[in-house]
Amino acid sequence: MIRFEQVVKRFRRQQVLKGVELEIGRGDRVALVGSNGAGKTTFIRCLLGEYTCQGRVLVKGLDPREQRHEVLSRIGFVPQLPPPLKMPVHQLIRFSASLSSADPERMEAVALRLGLDPARFRHQPFVKLSGGQKQKLLISIALGREVELLVLDEPAANLDPEARAIFFELLAERQERTAMIISSHRLDEVAALVNRVIEMDQGVVVLDDRVEDAVSLSSRLECRIELIRADQAFARSIEAWGFAPLEGGATWQGSVAGPDRLRFLGMLSRYAGVLRGIEMRERQAEAREAGCELSA
């Protein structure tokens, strides 16, 4: 579906991409990782046809530079940094839908699932929205139409845990028929979302590996946390995940999106001194439960 053939990109004397060779197919969910300056952003911009380059970039046999409109009609893109658009929310949704012959009501429906009511912010300029609201709207525009490729740059960075869970469900609905490239500085942020890891360093692909595809994007973990004693700092952190206290605040109960388990456990590790036990049970379908228990 996507081919990079000996792609080289220079900015004056600096060579940013150095002969990149890659092929990405339908159903691939790729974590594109690497430190700042590794070449990830340049890679994405060449894919989107924003840059000229040496070598060849093809999306379903089409050149994204020469046939940009046709290529972009097949791609849903969520940038890391929201553009400083002054266009009102209602107008932005209608304008975005018109560019790709999409249904604006479908974009609005995705926004509602993510917890953003477009009607409430109908006349609000996009630039005046909060970081999380901007991210939800950009995701809604990208996922609110039929595309064959999703390019997502730190897509869930500004989302609350519940919105992240819905976002993962939206990706799960497309995973069989769509290729995905998810760019991130940290592999642990996206590890559970992907079945392939591509790492770049100084413009070169240094790792291209298939990974275990064991976590369902739509799975949920039912969790119970027991503390040695109630702790106010822990309470503030766990409430942000939608957990509720039991038994005077020494026990907490709630659910976590399956792909967010590493992120959640990372948060819990900050409070290791007050943790008595952690129980996590995975529920992947209404009629089937499979689980594992962690204890400390």
Side-chain angles (χ1 to χ4, degrees):
M1 183 178 187
I2 300 167
R3 290 184 63 88
F4 273 62
E5 300 176 355
Q6 286 298 313
V7 174
V8 174
K9 178 60 183 175
R10 290 183 176 88
F11 294 99
R12 297 182 180 178
R13 295 183 180 180
Q14 183 182 7
Q15 193 174 28
V16 181
L17 297 182
K18 304 172 182 178
V20 174
E21 283 271 354
L22 276 177
E23 187 167 349
I24 297 171
R26 191 184 305 275
D28 282 353
R29 301 193 306 278
V30 175
L32 181 64
V33 298
S35 59
N36 286 331
K40 303 189 305 298
T41 299
T42 302
F43 176 95
I44 289 173
R45 289 184 175 177
C46 288
L47 175 62
L48 298 175
E50 295 180 14
Y51 288 160
T52 58
C53 58
Q54 294 174 267
R56 292 214 304 172
V57 179
L58 298 173
V59 179
K60 295 204 73 175
L62 302 175
D63 186 312
R65 186 71 179 177
E66 297 179 0
Q67 298 158 294
R68 196 169 184 212
H69 179 76
E70 190 171 354
V71 169
L72 290 182
S73 69
R74 302 166 185 257
I75 298 176
F77 175 52
V78 179
Q80 179 183 4
L81 299 176
L85 299 174
K86 297 181 180 180
M87 192 180 296
V89 167
H90 173 77
Q91 186 179 344
L92 177 58
I93 292 174
R94 293 301 188 268
F95 175 72
S96 301
S98 69
L99 291 178
S100 54
S101 301
D103 182 357
E105 293 185 0
R106 185 173 174 183
M107 294 179 179
E108 292 172 353
V110 174
L112 283 170
R113 285 182 64 180
L114 288 167
L116 177 70
D117 184 358
R120 179 184 171 192
F121 299 96
R122 179 183 179 88
H123 301 295
Q124 183 92 339
F126 176 80
V127 73
K128 296 293 186 181
L129 299 177
S130 70
Q133 291 166 345
K134 290 176 183 175
Q135 197 77 350
K136 290 176 182 179
L137 188 57
L138 292 173
I139 290 171
S140 302
I141 290 171
L143 272 63
R145 58 191 183 94
E146 283 300 322
V147 295
E148 297 173 82
L149 171 64
L150 288 171
V151 180
L152 312 170
D153 196 350
E154 303 282 2
N158 292 316
L159 299 182
D160 58 83
E162 183 57 32
R164 286 171 65 92
I166 301 300
F167 172 61
F168 300 146
E169 290 176 8
L170 289 165
L171 294 184
E173 293 168 7
R174 295 168 170 265
Q175 67 184 63
E176 299 299 329
R177 63 183 189 277
T178 307
M180 303 180 193
I181 299 175
I182 305 174
S183 178
S184 179
H185 293 95
R186 296 176 53 184
L187 179 57
D188 61 345
E189 286 286 323
V190 296
L193 299 177
V194 303
N195 55 20
R196 184 177 174 186
V197 176
I198 294 174
E199 182 178 358
M200 298 187 69
D201 184 37
Q202 297 184 18
V204 176
V205 174
V206 295
L207 174 71
D208 183 359
D209 198 12
R210 298 282 173 177
V211 296
E212 183 69 28
D213 192 14
V215 177
S216 168
L217 294 179
S218 58
S219 65
R220 281 276 192 167
L221 296 167
E222 298 297 333
C223 304
R224 182 183 175 94
I225 313 297
E226 293 185 7
L227 305 179
I228 296 171
R229 62 178 186 279
D231 184 87
Q232 290 185 355
F234 178 84
R236 287 192 295 270
S237 294
I238 201 71
E239 284 173 350
W241 286 80
F243 276 59
L246 303 172
E247 303 170 16
T251 302
W252 293 79
Q253 190 167 303
S255 65
V256 176
D260 247 354
R261 66 184 70 194
L262 286 178
R263 183 185 177 94
F264 180 69
L265 290 171
M267 182 279 292
L268 290 183
S269 69
R270 302 201 302 265
Y271 303 98
V274 295
L275 289 177
R276 183 188 300 277
I278 308 167
E279 181 181 322
M280 305 176 74
R281 187 170 299 277
E282 186 171 8
R283 186 181 64 213
Q284 292 187 329
E286 291 182 3
R288 185 180 66 187
E289 288 191 0
C292 63
E293 186 171 316
L294 303 178
S295 61

